């Protein structure tokens, strides 16, 4: 408890001091925006991003089903992807269609991991699922070159594999998850750390990220689910060993690179060490 508690207490001193639950309110809405500007500037990009997300999830479903079978009860990898689909509100019919598509698909998809360097010497890992590796490598190389990056061996050494379970900021009863409850759940589940998940854009409130050894992922996931938390995803990911802070101009260039890579349909996961 001391190890987990020390990390969390250092990270959230204000939350502990005030005794408030880990819950942030939604930002106030901005006045003066008509319906068209909202549709044009918010809904359009959001719909496009959701469409790309569903395409990636469909590919992940097909590959998981092809590698381990179409039954989530017997295929842990597929079960994890199905959970991610549900957390992102992917229609049930689309999930089932993608799984069935694994049997009909003649093309074999490849799972690749590209190592790259970004602006300011930042390190990136790109997890790719594709039925055309040559095309995917070309597309990734072009994006990197346009935004000050390059494919480079050795970037992987700056990351370590960990089990990561993401849960919603509210439990299955709709109640906000307090810091104390998160710490207790981490201890009981055998997680090494718990922290806010700043990368979960679909949640209006910050989700929670439980980190554990890869061998403990299934056990942690089951314990958190049994404790009443709302699971969003569970997977083995690459976490940076150290983070780099970039100057303003370089950081802006890096942000453009990350955005461009995020729009590449073959990249299903993107890891970086930028602070």
């Amino acid at each position: 408890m001391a190890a987990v508690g020390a990390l969390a207490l250092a990270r959230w001193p204000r939350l502990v001091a005030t005794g408030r639950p880990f819950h942030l309110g939604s930002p106030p809405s901005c006045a003066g925006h008509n319906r068209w500007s909202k549709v044009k500037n918010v809904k359009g990009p959001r719909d496009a991003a959701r469409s790309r997300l569903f395409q990636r999830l469909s590919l992940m479903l097909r590959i998981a089903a092809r590698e381990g079978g179409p039954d989530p009860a017997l295929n842990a990898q597929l079960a994890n992807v199905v959970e991610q689909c549900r957390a992102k509100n992917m229609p049930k019919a689309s999930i089932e269609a993608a799984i069935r598509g694994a049997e009909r698909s003649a093309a074999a998809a490849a799972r690749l991991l590209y190592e790259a360097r970004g602006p300011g010497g930042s390190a990136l890992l790109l997890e790719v699922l594709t039925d055309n590796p040559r095309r995917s490598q070309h597309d990734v190389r072009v994006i990197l070159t346009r935004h000050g990056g390059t494919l480079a061996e050795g970037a992987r050494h700056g990351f370590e594999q960990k089990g990561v379970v993401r849960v919603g900021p509210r439990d299955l009863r709709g109640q906000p998850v307090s810091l104390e409850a998160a710490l207790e759940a981490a201890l009981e589940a055998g997680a090494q750390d718990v922290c806010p998940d700043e990368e979960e854009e679909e949640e209006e409130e910050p989700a929670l990220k439980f980190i554990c050894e890869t061998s403990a992922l299934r056990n942690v996931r089951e314990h958190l689910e049994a404790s009443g938390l709302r699971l969003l995803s569970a997977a083995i990911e690459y976490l940076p060993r150290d983070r780099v802070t970039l100057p303003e101009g370089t950081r802006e260039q890096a942000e453009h690179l990350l955005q461009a890579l995020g729009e590449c349909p073959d990249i299903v996961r993107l890891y970086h060490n930028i602070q």
Side-chain angles (χ1 to χ4, degrees):
M1 177 65 179
V4 178
L7 286 169
L9 291 174
R11 184 175 286 110
W12 298 326
R14 290 184 61 190
L15 293 175
V16 177
T18 59
R20 292 182 298 161
F22 183 66
H23 164 62
L24 299 178
S26 301
S29 58
C30 298
H33 288 253
N34 59 34
R35 183 179 182 276
W36 166 244
S37 66
K38 182 176 182 180
V39 171
K40 179 181 178 182
N41 298 322
V42 178
K43 189 176 186 300
R46 188 171 294 173
D47 287 348
R50 183 174 293 274
S51 177
R52 288 193 299 269
L53 174 63
F54 285 177
Q55 290 177 8
R56 293 172 182 169
L57 289 173
S58 293
L59 181 57
M60 294 170 67
L61 286 167
R62 290 198 298 271
I63 292 179
R66 186 182 297 122
E67 293 178 348
D71 186 355
L74 303 176
N75 184 344
Q77 180 184 352
L78 179 60
N80 288 337
V81 180
V82 169
E83 277 188 4
Q84 295 178 50
C85 294
R86 291 172 177 168
K88 299 299 183 181
N89 297 317
M90 187 174 181
K92 180 180 179 181
S94 299
I95 297 175
E96 294 174 347
I99 295 175
R100 290 195 302 269
E103 301 176 355
R104 299 192 301 268
S105 177
R111 189 187 302 271
L112 306 171
L113 185 68
Y114 293 149
E115 302 172 80
R117 291 289 178 184
S122 53
L124 301 94
L125 291 182
L126 315 175
E127 190 175 324
V128 171
L129 293 179
T130 178
D131 56 1
N132 190 331
R134 185 186 298 272
R135 181 206 65 216
S136 296
Q137 186 178 50
H138 173 267
D139 292 348
V140 169
R141 192 187 300 275
V142 168
I143 294 173
L144 288 168
T145 302
R146 287 177 178 173
H147 298 279
T150 181
L151 290 175
E153 295 183 2
R156 183 172 179 174
H157 299 310
F159 298 82
E160 58 182 340
Q161 279 191 310
K162 290 289 185 179
V164 178
V165 181
R166 289 179 171 83
V167 306
R170 294 175 177 269
D171 60 24
L172 294 176
R173 297 175 299 171
Q175 299 299 313
V177 181
S178 68
L179 172 61
E180 290 78 10
L183 292 174
E184 183 178 351
L187 175 64
E188 294 178 353
Q192 297 174 314
D193 194 10
V194 55
C195 60
D197 182 20
E198 300 173 352
E199 300 176 3
E200 186 54 60
E201 299 178 353
E202 292 295 317
E203 295 288 331
E204 294 182 357
E205 304 164 302
L208 292 170
K209 182 166 63 176
F210 291 79
I211 300 171
C212 63
E213 292 294 343
T214 57
S215 58
L217 177 61
R218 180 175 180 179
N219 185 64
V220 171
R221 170 185 168 233
E222 291 176 348
H223 274 76
L224 293 178
E225 189 173 27
S227 67
L229 297 178
R230 179 169 60 90
L231 267 66
L232 300 178
S233 67
I236 295 175
E237 300 183 12
Y238 289 91
L239 302 184
R241 299 181 186 275
D242 298 293
R243 291 190 176 272
V244 297
T245 301
L246 303 178
E248 184 175 349
T250 305
R251 180 176 178 81
E252 184 177 357
Q253 185 182 25
E255 289 175 351
H256 289 314
L257 171 59
L258 296 179
Q259 181 178 354
L261 290 171
E263 295 173 356
C264 180
D266 293 341
I267 299 177
V268 295
R269 288 189 183 277
L270 169 61
Y271 307 101
H272 63 82
N273 67 343
I274 301 171
Q275 183 68 40

